[in-house]
Structure formats: C-alpha cells, structure tokens
Amino acid sequence: MKATGIVRRIDDLGRIVIPKEIRRSFRIKEGDPLEIYTEADGEVIFKKYSPIGELGTFASQYADVLHKNGGIPIAICDNDHVIAASGISKREVLERRVTNQLEDLMNKRAIHIATRDVPSMSAIEGYERKAQVVYPIIYGGDVSGAVAMIDDGSNTLPNETQIKLIQVAAAFLGKQME
C-alpha cells in the first residue's frame, strides 16, 4: 500500500473526506459506491465497487463466445477498467483503464458505431487498437460498463450482425446483474 502523506480527521457523524486529488486520480465521483475492507492490523481500505466486475469469469466466457462465433475482438469494461477480453492480447488490456473518451460516452449513455464519417474511438488507455462499436451496459438504471468491438486491423467497418451482437451482449450482461 502506498502512503499519500494526507491525513484527515473523522467528523462527529463518522464521515471522512477523500481528498480531491485522490478522487480525481481514481475517478471517484459523487454517488459512486465504495466497498470497505478491513485488515487485522487496523487498515481500512476503500475500493470502488464494480457490479460488472463481479461477473468477471462470466464476462470472460461471454467475450470468448462472442469472439469465436462472431469473429470479432471484444473488450468488456466496467466504468474504469477492462475486465474481460477475447481476440486481443489479454495481457496487454486486462485491468487497463478506459480512456476519458469512453468514460464520457458511458456517462452520456451513448453508443458508438464507426462509419465512413465517424472514426473508431480510442477506448483503452495505452492501447493502439480502437473500438469500432461500443454499447453501454446498463444495470438498475445506471451505466455499469461497456462492451466494445475492437478493430481487428482489417480496416473494414462493422456490419449489422456485429453491431447487433455487441448490443445484445451489453443488454444481456446488464440483465445478469439483476
């Protein structure tokens, strides 16, 4: 664990303020759920809660099926990181942060489909291959992540079947969290 040098006091209602710098660097926004862990030595650990992250193994299997049957590279993300991938190097993308561009798209509950006029979007920080199709995963009225079809390098635009597969995957994963 890394020490920040920041000290905060608990107020009379048991609250503590997480410094703005930490909230910004970990993309913690007002209303974000946090999990609280304790250690025997007195450590208290806060971790951003990711409902889609609890489907990690299932999401990974679903990504594999999409890739094998649809022939398309897939990345499944929670609001912050890639949690599953298939058809692309898992070692290169798993646990990588999503880009601000993808985060903004999810916050707007928007979709992205690359066309001749709309370029593919950067979705994974530090990863050169871009997303051609992105659909948000919606659970309980909130966006919990996204399913992205990653460019396979062939410079072809996504077809209707591929777009529908990504749309259905996002809707299905949202239902699995209910």
Side-chain angles (χ1 to χ4, degrees):
M1 188 174 346
K2 183 178 170 186
T4 63
I6 300 171
V7 176
R8 293 287 189 259
R9 296 202 182 276
I10 295 176
D11 72 8
D12 58 339
L13 295 176
R15 298 175 296 195
I16 187 166
V17 174
I18 299 172
K20 189 175 194 175
E21 302 81 27
I22 292 174
R23 292 192 320 262
R24 187 180 304 126
S25 65
F26 286 96
R27 296 179 178 173
I28 299 171
K29 297 178 287 296
E30 181 181 333
D32 282 352
L34 298 175
E35 284 184 286
I36 302 170
Y37 297 91
T38 59
E39 296 288 334
D41 62 359
E43 290 180 310
V44 178
I45 301 164
F46 292 90
K47 181 180 175 190
K48 272 185 84 171
Y49 176 69
S50 169
I52 190 88
E54 293 191 12
L55 295 178
T57 303
F58 182 77
S60 181
Q61 292 169 343
Y62 200 89
D64 287 341
V65 169
L66 275 174
H67 172 64
K68 287 176 184 162
N69 293 299
I72 49 180
I74 298 293
I76 299 174
C77 311
D78 64 12
N79 288 329
D80 298 306
H81 298 91
V82 177
I83 62 160
S86 188
I88 55 179
S89 173
K90 291 179 183 178
R91 202 172 2 170
E92 286 186 54
V93 299
L94 285 181
E95 294 301 319
R96 275 197 191 229
R97 292 188 95 140
V98 301
T99 61
N100 289 332
Q101 186 179 10
L102 178 55
E103 187 177 13
D104 291 343
L105 186 85
M106 288 188 287
N107 287 336
K108 294 175 185 170
R109 299 168 177 259
I111 62 170
H112 174 82
I113 300 171
T115 65
R116 289 191 179 121
D117 299 325
V118 178
S120 297
M121 69 177 281
S122 179
I124 305 167
E125 285 186 0
Y127 190 63
E128 63 187 49
R129 290 170 62 181
K130 299 185 177 208
Q132 291 184 305
V133 179
V134 178
Y135 270 86
I137 299 169
I138 299 177
Y139 160 67
D142 294 324
V143 175
S144 299
V147 179
M149 177 182 143
I150 306 298
D151 182 13
D152 64 2
S154 67
N155 293 324
T156 57
L157 293 173
N159 62 42
E160 286 184 43
T161 303
Q162 292 168 328
I163 294 167
K164 200 57 147 172
L165 280 172
I166 301 305
Q167 180 184 19
V168 168
F172 183 76
L173 287 169
K175 278 297 220 189
Q176 290 304 302
M177 291 187 290
E178 289 181 0

